[in-house]
Amino acid sequence: VDGDVYDVSKFARLHPGGSQIIEQYAGSDVTNVFYELHRKDVLVKHARLRVGRLEGAKDGGGALGEPGAMPFAEIPAFQGQHSPYYGESHRRLLQGQHSPYYGESHRRLLQAVRAFVQTELEPIAESADLAGEYPDLELRQKLGRSGMMAIRLGPGPWLKPLSSWGVKIPGGVAPEEFDYFHEMLAHQEFGRLGRPGFIDSLGAGFGISAPAIFHFASDAVKQALGPQLLLGDKWSVLSISEPFAGSDVA
């Protein structure tokens, strides 16, 4: 797949679709067949099965975090240009379909957030999720200083002072340009980690508590806590006194 060689002799017995579907393609280039049914994320998950690479194989990938061109794996407006497995007319058909919701700034943000998730979070997601580990201060600060905390709160007044703290919105999006579709894309890319416990630990409580502070706290509290929350120095949670209240409070 993509010029990489995988040993799936043992995995075949565990394949959800059965071993026969894999055995019939043994020794063949199954790039097209694979991408008709799977996202590239599957290859990342099973990277340990890769045993080599074909000499002279083309590099089918683009820049880090760049959306791919495989059908159904991406939002049509963002499907990428890097796919040697389709003809030029097919690539044009896939790429850049007009959307009233997404523009170039959304594409830049998606690519930046995906690159962050791929490099900083995917390598530790599995072990942290299985161990039930809570993000340490270093990881929280990394999230904050890369803008990953602020953008998951959606558009609001918390975005404007980021630059004065040395924080840029991923993709170079301007605060006044940031909208709820940018926020949605950020949540979508974090969701690609596929491990709900780990994902929630990265800011679910923060996401439903910090807005209350920015909207309803006194100016003194916002000035004291705001920078610390958005930079990841402090964490916030939503405390509910009523025993039957839940996410409706958020």
Side-chain angles (χ1 to χ4, degrees):
V1 180
D2 284 340
D4 291 321
V5 180
Y6 295 83
D7 180 358
V8 294
S9 53
K10 294 182 179 179
F11 172 78
R13 298 194 297 270
L14 305 174
H15 184 246
S19 61
Q20 291 183 339
I21 188 68
I22 292 182
E23 291 167 355
Q24 67 176 312
Y25 290 109
S28 304
D29 183 346
V30 295
T31 299
N32 288 345
V33 175
F34 176 86
Y35 282 120
E36 286 174 357
L37 298 170
H38 307 84
R39 297 190 312 184
K40 193 175 182 67
D41 307 48
V42 176
L43 296 178
V44 176
K45 180 179 180 181
H46 296 288
R48 67 185 183 280
L49 301 179
R50 187 172 56 205
V51 295
R53 183 166 180 80
L54 296 176
E55 184 177 354
K58 295 181 179 179
D59 182 6
L64 182 64
E66 184 171 0
M70 298 305 169
F72 312 116
E74 304 284 356
I75 296 173
F78 299 137
Q79 286 179 320
Q81 303 177 9
H82 297 275
S83 177
Y85 310 109
Y86 292 96
E88 183 60 33
S89 61
H90 194 175
R91 287 200 292 271
R92 284 199 299 268
L93 178 65
L94 287 174
Q95 295 161 20
Q97 295 188 24
H98 173 72
S99 169
Y101 311 111
Y102 303 114
E104 180 57 31
S105 68
H106 297 91
R107 182 187 179 93
R108 296 198 313 270
L109 180 128
L110 180 148
Q111 184 169 342
V113 174
R114 182 175 296 184
F116 179 89
V117 170
Q118 289 175 342
T119 57
E120 303 294 344
L121 301 179
E122 281 185 359
I124 64 173
E126 183 75 10
S127 59
D129 194 57
L130 290 174
E133 295 176 352
Y134 194 74
D136 59 19
L137 179 60
E138 181 182 357
L139 178 54
R140 298 200 302 269
Q141 290 178 333
K142 188 177 292 185
L143 288 163
R145 285 156 170 73
S146 62
M148 298 298 162
M149 302 307 297
I151 62 174
R152 288 184 291 157
L153 296 180
W158 43 81
L159 296 176
K160 292 183 179 180
L162 289 178
S163 60
S164 64
W165 305 329
V167 177
K168 295 182 179 179
I169 296 176
V173 181
E176 61 273 14
E177 192 179 12
F178 192 90
D179 60 27
Y180 287 109
F181 289 101
H182 290 101
E183 180 198 0
M184 185 197 74
L185 292 171
H187 289 300
Q188 171 184 284
E189 293 307 311
F190 272 70
R192 286 179 179 271
L193 290 166
R195 298 164 182 85
F198 180 64
I199 295 170
D200 283 351
S201 76
L202 297 174
F206 170 88
I208 62 175
S209 59
I213 296 172
F214 285 107
H215 283 303
F216 306 118
S218 67
D219 289 341
V221 171
K222 285 188 282 190
Q223 290 174 7
L225 283 180
Q228 297 181 71
L229 289 172
L230 295 175
L231 292 175
D233 296 332
K234 287 188 180 294
W235 219 240
S236 62
V237 296
L238 182 66
S239 179
I240 304 168
S241 58
E242 292 75 14
F244 300 107
S247 58
D248 53 324
V249 176

